[in-house]
Amino acid sequence: MIKKDEKKISSSFEENIAYMDQVLPVKESFDIIKREMEIGGRKSFFYFIDGFVKDEAMLKLMDSFLSITEEDMPEDAQAFSVKEVPYVEVEVLTDFDQVMRNVLSGTSCLFIEGYEGCLCIDCRTYPARSVDEPDKDKSLRGSRDGFVETIVFNTALMRRRIRDPHLVMEMTEAGQASRTDIAVCYMSDRVDRELLKNLKNRIESLQVGDLRMNQQSLAEALFKRKWFNPFPKFKYTERPDTAAACLLEGKVVVLVDNSPSALILPTSILDMIEEANDYYFPTITGVYLKVSRTLITIATVFFTPLYLLFMQNLRWLPSIFSFVVVQDQVNIPLIWQFLLLELSIDGLRLAAMNTPTMLSTPLSVIAGIVMGEFSVESGWFNSEVMLYMAFVAVANYTQPNFELGYALKFMRLMLLVLTAWLNLWGFIIGCILVLCFLIFNKTLSGRSYLNVKLN
């Protein structure tokens, strides 16, 4: 939890300004502006961040303040905010913790001589990119908008889709240094109250210095995962329509400022492999997409370990599948071929992520030639192994969750190693371990991936 400064704003104007100048590096930081002016014959000071303030709105406010006479000045700050501030979002603050938080968040704070309080005028604007469709969660028929790095824009995208007074968006913050804004969104008439209470209590009790990685830092702080279980505990989405649909299902959506995605609770393995296209098509088509994606996801885990098991026990292979037997000479054991290709595929993926767009196509062509034909002809890999690993590499992209893809990869590697080591018993033990990872992967909601309530 953020430690708050309990110092209250006093009736002494000079003392308040001295404290602000002491805490804020006004002289050292060029972007922290201290603007002096006279309002109604009284000395006044504005504090704001350059780049966060709407210039036109600030000019109109100052023009209005300069026209106030001494006779028009109200008795206190609250009356001044009602009668003399021609702006929508105005608040009177009474302690310096609120003032500092608001100034550093981009709002303008005004101190006026004779008033025991600070006027907070929210005329800020954040640098933001346009609302575009996310690169990862694309949809054939769905909307083409996606979350951006500004939390207010993201809440507006969901509010536009759910015009219901039961939609609640509570704002809080975390991180003693970053003081990152966090929005907890839910439908008050549908949400699981126990889950909501647990989530809010955890956010309020966070003892973290900052959320340097934004949403990922919050997720790690909320629920300390066990290092040996790679399955993700949260579902992420960059689509506001998906987040809105989850809200209407009674789930909780958490937005973090500076993060272009939403964190969804609770979740299960079936939620992880869903995508927006499942709902933008007729029912039978959507069901087919879900079933096919589920089967392909299962195949990515068990396909290569099963192949390795049968190659180690050729007598178990039915005669109708005899064509899958490796025909060429095996120079390197199959298990090492699979492991080397797993590492090579990740290397190509990392290279593609860090390659400029104009060079991505040549890289793909070169990688396809080298990894395909030349590696087989050189004797490093067999063509059958290359074919099955190519299927696994492509099939990983059928499910939208990046974290789940790597969790399934680790399960596949575990099955390969155990199968090569202990043969059939290794494969059986690996299958049991995969099932245990799913069942005992307890999430923040208290439910496993199979939606079984855990004590």
Side-chain angles (χ1 to χ4, degrees), residues 5-25:
D5 191 339
E6 299 295 336
K7 182 175 176 60
K8 296 292 183 179
I9 296 176
S10 70
S11 57
S12 172
F13 177 74
E14 290 76 12
E15 183 180 336
N16 294 333
I17 299 303
Y19 182 82
M20 291 293 294
D21 293 342
Q22 176 186 353
V23 176
L24 289 176

Side-chain angles (χ1 to χ4, degrees), residues 101 105 124 126 151 171-174 178-183 255-257:
R101 180 171 60 86
S105 296
R124 59 184 164 179
Y126 287 143
I151 192 170
M171 186 70 75
T172 182
E173 62 181 29
S178 63
R179 295 198 170 187
T180 307
D181 290 328
I182 301 171
L255 300 173
V256 180
D257 197 21

Side-chain angles (χ1 to χ4, degrees), residues 10 15 17 20 49 51 94 101 108 146 151 162 245 287 324 387 413 448:
S10 70
E15 183 180 336
I17 299 303
M20 291 293 294
I49 303 294
T94 57
R101 180 171 60 86
S108 302
I151 192 170
I162 305 177
V287 172
V324 304
L387 173 64
L413 290 173
S448 74

Side-chain angles (χ1 to χ4, degrees), residues 76-96:
D76 54 32
Q78 185 64 43
F80 184 90
S81 67
V82 174
K83 297 179 180 179
E84 304 296 343
V85 182
Y87 201 76
V88 179
E89 298 179 71
V90 184
E91 184 182 3
V92 178
L93 306 178
T94 57
D95 66 76
F96 281 104

Side-chain angles (χ1 to χ4, degrees), residues 185-202:
C185 313
Y186 58 92
M187 298 293 293
S188 60
D189 59 337
R190 308 184 187 191
V191 70
D192 183 348
R193 290 290 174 179
E194 182 180 351
L195 168 64
L196 179 63
K197 181 180 179 181
N198 185 17
L199 176 62
K200 291 167 65 175
N201 288 340
R202 291 194 180 214

